[in-house]
Amino acid sequence: MHSAERQTVHRWSLIWAGGLVALVGLILVGLSISASEAWAEVASALGLSLFGWGGVAQLVDGVMLLPAQAAAKQSLPLGSPGFLWSGALAWLVGWGLIASGIRRAPEPTEGPSPAAGAPLYPRLARYRDFYWSTLAAYGGGILLAELVLVLLQTVLSSGVPSTDLSSARDAGGGLSLPPTGAFAIALVVAGLVAFISGFVGASRAQRLALPEATIGVLYLGLPVPILLTLMERIPSLQLALGYRLREVTYVAGLLGRPELAYWLTFTGLVLALVLGINTGFIAAGSGRVDLKLGFELFVARRHVAVFRPSLLLGTLAVLMFGIIPPLLVYFIIRAAEAAVEKTRIRSLGLSDPLAASEALHKLKLREQSPTMMMTALSVGGVGVGVMALIIVLSVMSGFEADLQQKILGTNAHAVVSRYAGDLPEYPKVMETIRKVPGIAGQTPFIINQVMIASEGNVDGVIIKGIDPKTVGDVTDLPRNILGGGSLDILYTPEKILSRGGDDEESETPAGEGDEAPAEDDIIRRTGPAKKAAAVLPGIVIGRELAASLRVVVGDRVNVVSPLGTELSPSGPVPKNRAYRVAAIFYSGMYEYDSKFVYILLKEAQDFFGVQGASGIELKVLDIDDARRIAGQVVKALGGYPYRARDWGEMNKNLFSALRLEKLVMGIILSIIIIVAAGLIVATVIMLVLEKRKEISVLKALGVPDGGIVKIFLAEGLQIGVAGGLLGLFSGLSWCLFIEKVGIKLDPEVYYIPALPVRVEPLQTALAVVIAVLVTYLASIYPALKASSVEPVEGLKAE
């Protein structure tokens, strides 16, 4: 009797020698390419050499480009062509040595064994090493999912022509969704396509088919994200594809790094494919579709007993109050119970030793097994990860929401202007914009950069001409005025409080009656009221700028424009106007409170010589839909020369940095869940080792491999669900505590009095989903190992 298996023989001396020779060749080729500065010409060809045997041809093509490059630049040092050809030859020789070091052992020369002609073991009888249909399902599915994502995102964002809604037609567009909403729908549909493809492929092969999945993802899934990544770096690709994929690149650019968004989306689609593959194997791994889970869930619940009240309450106490206090209480209670029980058993043993022995045996059985302890640690680890993820993301969302509220309270949701020049016809443009659906308010403005000076200081600011009647429909400026002031004071500058001290002011003659002291509403500075000799137009400045200039309401400031000049007896001088501080505002943003000043629109027209306005600020009903509404406004205005920019585009870098920071923080905190997943792997493997006999009995009774996989996947899922729910409850509880009780901050430093918290339902649910998915994926390997247990092996010792 002999083994019919042909073994692979590895001659490690040849393999190591070949690897060393190939490495030397690679180094020589790299040095030669660097010396000739030909990386740009050969990078694409050498990159393709990573994929399959076709890379040999690409390598040859890349090598053939080098002499031409060297001849053109004449930059190769003496002897470097020898390095080039020697390196290429060494590379090929090295791989030849590696190939020669791997051989199959010769077939045995003995005759057939006594079992020759017997039926083959069923699992081996139906085994196939490769399924082309499964490869087509996996590779075609991931490619189709990517194309569906791109096309659906483009269609839903750019608009589908509408024949039902006349308002949409009047706006010049069609039915369309906000970019983020369109991306969410497109991602869900693409994920379903990838999931169904994986399910069909695994059902066809009745196994996971990892080689087919690897080849399909590498050769059919990678080209699309690679192309999108290169599009961000190669101008010719950007010129050819950027216009067609503008909706895709816009959503990717919301993170600040479009390449990161492309690869994260690709990872998500691959994850959907993996879930489909695993689900298809579980459902059809036994040769028929079996979606029933009742028996498997019953067995899984009895094995791990995750939902025991003692385990859940103990884990929740640890999450809510920390590790040390609950564990101290737990060990004190357990030690007291054990001492009392052992005292009782000892007293019982004096009268009935047999009963005492039985009671001692029951006491030992009540002690937790190592597997139960690992289960508790796994549940706690998942709960800690979910809780930390929810708390941190909620706090970061609170900062983002506070920042967004302050920015959108000071700035508009969208701005309409010309590509060049001003808007003299702004009243007519505003009439047209008013008809566009989704517009909540609009106001004209003039903006420019000037210098502002007082008796105490000088600073560069942005001056903005506004219409006090309509500016409140777009921004929060009227509500940010300190001291109960109003922007209407700009219409009546003679009512502005004056403290005196200007050159154009004269004191009230003595003896004509003493007036009551005038008290400033902002800094509470008191003094005798003065009578102004001349009325100056009013200006509204920020609190930080007022502190820098050392002025209060009623003080005089001079505004100087470096962009224009006026004639004076001594020659041309910069434009200079005197204003009186009419009010002071506080927005909570240092950049705005220190750099923005406001005057009447008419005053700005006279000062800068502008006919009309610089643009029109808009407020929309849905800030997430501002980009689409801005596009509809431009269409309603007839397109060029008008353009519209939404708040996301105007503050792209800031909000992209916040989103990227939140994403990176979420990924880092997810490592806690991954660590817990390692505990789950250890727990389920220990269960497999403990239950080998039970697994063998189940398989002997006819439970298929898919059923065994279902049992252990259900056990891992129970741990994930229990930990996720406990982390959700504790995380929301801590967020509520932070919101209600508050963690105080210094307003002078952070411009907010307390730590902001904003619980977003989507990202909170996503934290739980991530935990469940990670625990599910962590359970796959132990479940497969459990399904590979043979009944005979498990029952040998019985």
Side-chain angles (χ1 to χ4, degrees):
M1 188 171 183
H2 63 85
S3 174
E5 180 182 2
R6 295 185 60 190
Q7 300 291 335
T8 301
V9 178
H10 297 87
R11 302 180 63 183
W12 292 106
S13 58
L14 289 176
I15 293 175
W16 283 106
L20 182 61
V21 172
L23 179 61
V24 171
L26 183 62
I27 294 174
L28 292 176
V29 172
L31 291 175
S32 181
I33 295 175
S34 299
S36 61
E37 299 180 4
W39 281 110
E41 287 76 8
V42 302
S44 60
L46 293 177
L48 289 177
S49 65
L50 299 175
F51 298 94
W53 288 104
V56 176
Q58 296 294 339
L59 177 62
V60 174
D61 292 340
V63 171
M64 295 300 293
L65 287 174
L66 290 176
Q69 177 71 13
K73 292 191 175 184
Q74 295 182 357
S75 60
L76 282 174
L78 183 63
S80 57
F83 286 162
L84 171 65
W85 296 112
S86 300
L89 181 61
W91 172 265
L92 296 177
V93 170
W95 278 105
L97 290 173
I98 293 175
S100 63
I102 303 175
R103 286 288 183 268
R104 298 297 297 271
E107 293 189 16
T109 56
E110 296 87 350
S113 67
L120 188 62
Y121 181 54
R123 178 179 294 183
L124 292 177
R126 63 173 182 265
Y127 177 80
R128 288 177 56 185
D129 56 353
F130 198 86
Y131 287 87
W132 287 100
S133 58
T134 301
L135 173 63
Y138 291 168
I142 191 67
L143 178 60
L144 180 62
E146 293 170 343
L147 296 179
V148 166
L149 177 63
V150 172
L151 295 177
L152 198 57
Q153 166 70 23
T154 302
V155 170
L156 293 179
S157 296
S158 56
V160 181
S162 170
T163 58
D164 297 331
L165 298 180
S166 58
S167 60
R169 292 200 308 271
D170 294 338
L175 290 176
S176 58
L177 298 175
T180 52
F183 174 75
I185 295 176
L187 183 62
V188 171
V189 174
L192 287 176
V193 171
F195 180 87
I196 293 173
S197 301
F199 185 92
V200 172
S203 301
R204 173 69 181 85
Q206 298 180 8
R207 59 187 176 92
L208 296 181
L210 294 181
E212 292 88 333
T214 303
I215 295 174
V217 170
L218 288 180
Y219 283 88
L220 295 178
L222 283 179
V224 172
I226 289 176
L227 180 64
L228 292 175
T229 302
L230 293 177
M231 186 181 67
E232 299 293 332
R233 301 182 178 275
I234 300 178
S236 59
L237 279 178
Q238 180 69 34
L239 188 62
L241 300 176
Y243 177 77
R244 295 180 176 86
L245 301 177
R246 63 185 184 277
E247 300 296 338
V248 176
T249 56
Y250 172 78
V251 175
L254 294 178
L255 280 180
R257 294 293 301 273
E259 302 90 343
L260 180 60
Y262 298 145
W263 288 102
L264 285 176
T265 305
F266 171 72
T267 304
L269 294 179
V270 173
L271 177 61
L273 179 69
V274 171
L275 293 176
I277 292 172
N278 192 66
T279 306
F281 167 70
I282 295 173
S286 59
R288 57 184 178 85
V289 177
D290 181 14
L291 299 178
K292 298 179 181 179
L293 295 174
F295 172 73
E296 289 82 1
L297 289 177
F298 170 76
V299 176
R301 283 198 305 268
R302 295 296 301 271
H303 271 191
V304 290
V306 172
F307 295 99
R308 289 175 296 150
S310 59
L311 187 148
L312 296 180
L313 293 177
T315 305
L316 182 60
V318 171
L319 294 177
M320 295 297 297
F321 304 108
I323 297 177
I324 303 300
L327 287 183
L328 285 177
V329 174
Y330 172 78
F331 285 122
I332 290 173
I333 294 176
R334 289 301 302 270
E337 289 181 349
V340 171
E341 184 65 16
K342 288 181 179 179
T343 302
R344 186 189 68 82
I345 294 173
R346 180 176 179 276
S347 300
L348 179 63
L350 296 177
S351 58
D352 190 349
L354 185 59
S357 176
E358 184 179 356
L360 185 61
H361 179 67
K362 291 180 179 179
L363 177 63
K364 291 181 178 180
L365 289 178
R366 286 201 300 268
E367 295 179 356
Q368 289 189 349
S369 66
T371 303
M372 292 300 178
M373 182 61 68
M374 291 291 294
T375 301
L377 291 175
S378 301
V379 173
V382 175
V384 169
V386 174
M387 182 185 68
L389 201 56
I390 290 175
I391 294 174
V392 172
L393 292 183
S394 297
V395 171
M396 295 186 69
S397 296
F399 276 109
E400 183 180 2
D402 182 78
L403 182 62
Q404 179 176 316
Q405 180 183 1
K406 290 176 179 177
I407 289 177
L408 296 183
T410 305
N411 294 323
H413 296 170
V415 174
V416 177
S417 61
R418 284 176 176 263
Y419 280 97
D422 302 317
L423 280 175
E425 72 284 10
Y426 75 88
K428 180 181 177 181
V429 173
M430 292 178 67
E431 287 295 329
T432 305
I433 293 175
R434 191 173 290 111
K435 301 176 183 178
V436 178
I439 299 296
Q442 55 181 328
T443 182
F445 71 95
I446 294 175
I447 194 167
N448 219 323
Q449 293 183 345
V450 296
M451 300 290 292
I452 187 169
S454 67
E455 294 181 356
N457 205 349
V458 64
D459 204 347
V461 296
I462 297 175
I463 192 168
K464 199 170 184 180
I466 60 172
D467 180 12
K469 295 180 179 179
T470 58
V471 70
D473 298 334
V474 178
T475 68
D476 294 335
L477 180 61
R479 292 175 288 278
N480 292 335
I481 301 298
L482 297 177
S486 172
L487 291 177
D488 294 335
I489 192 68
L490 295 177
Y491 289 120
T492 56
E494 65 276 2
K495 296 182 180 180
I496 301 175
L497 175 67
S498 174
R499 289 196 307 111
D502 295 335
D503 295 337
E504 297 178 358
E505 297 175 356
S506 60
E507 295 183 0
T508 304
E512 294 187 2
D514 296 333
E515 298 183 4
E519 184 177 5
D520 189 275
D521 289 331
I522 306 303
I523 306 184
R524 302 296 181 187
R525 185 182 299 171
T526 61
K530 305 298 179 179
K531 180 179 178 182
V535 176
L536 299 177
I539 187 171
V540 180
I541 66 177
R543 191 180 72 172
E544 299 296 336
L545 181 61
S548 175
L549 296 177
R550 295 191 286 276
V551 296
V552 295
V553 171
D555 283 351
R556 169 178 168 169
V557 294
N558 291 325
V559 175
V560 181
S561 173
L563 300 179
T565 58
E566 294 178 334
L567 293 178
S568 69
S570 59
V573 295
K575 285 185 177 180
N576 182 15
R577 293 288 187 275
Y579 292 88
R580 195 171 301 283
V581 178
I584 295 178
F585 70 90
Y586 176 69
S587 66
M589 286 285 291
Y590 178 83
E591 290 77 8
Y592 296 143
D593 294 341
S594 62
K595 293 299 179 184
F596 273 83
V597 299
Y598 299 91
I599 60 176
L600 277 177
L601 183 66
K602 184 178 181 305
E603 294 290 340
Q605 291 172 344
D606 296 338
F607 184 47
F608 295 109
V610 174
Q611 298 295 326
S614 300
I616 300 171
E617 294 182 321
L618 306 178
K619 183 178 182 179
V620 300
L621 296 175
D622 183 6
I623 60 174
D624 295 326
D625 201 18
R627 182 171 181 263
R628 184 192 65 82
I629 295 176
Q632 299 295 343
V633 168
V634 174
K635 291 180 181 179
L637 294 175
Y640 186 84
Y642 300 101
R643 68 169 182 169
R645 295 179 297 164
D646 65 295
W647 64 273
E649 182 181 356
M650 291 185 290
N651 302 278
K652 179 180 178 181
N653 292 336
L654 178 60
F655 286 102
S656 296
L658 288 174
R659 295 188 188 99
L660 184 60
E661 183 181 3
K662 185 191 295 186
L663 175 64
V664 173
M665 188 64 67
I667 293 175
I668 293 174
L669 291 175
S670 297
I671 296 177
I672 302 176
I673 302 177
I674 296 176
V675 172
L679 291 174
I680 293 173
V681 173
T683 302
V684 180
I685 288 179
M686 290 182 67
L687 282 172
V688 173
L689 296 176
E690 284 185 357
K691 306 298 182 180
R692 286 178 63 88
K693 180 183 69 174
E694 288 80 358
I695 295 172
S696 301
V697 171
L698 289 175
K699 298 189 76 171
L701 292 176
V703 177
D705 292 348
I708 302 298
V709 172
K710 289 179 187 178
I711 292 173
F712 286 93
L713 283 180
E715 293 176 355
L717 273 177
Q718 288 183 37
I719 296 175
V721 171
L725 293 179
L726 292 177
L728 174 64
F729 181 81
S730 56
L732 293 179
S733 300
W734 277 108
C735 290
L736 182 63
F737 173 81
I738 295 173
E739 182 179 4
K740 298 301 181 181
V741 177
I743 298 177
K744 303 302 179 183
L745 299 176
D746 187 359
E748 298 297 329
V749 177
Y750 299 99
Y751 287 88
I752 48 178
L755 191 68
V757 175
R758 181 186 180 186
V759 178
E760 295 184 357
L762 180 60
Q763 74 179 16
T764 302
L766 187 61
V768 180
V769 170
I770 289 175
V772 175
L773 283 179
V774 170
T775 55
Y776 177 80
L777 295 175
S779 304
I780 292 177
Y781 173 74
L784 294 176
K785 296 297 290 183
S787 66
S788 64
V789 174
E790 296 294 342
V792 175
E793 296 294 330
L795 297 175
K796 271 184 178 180
E798 299 300 322

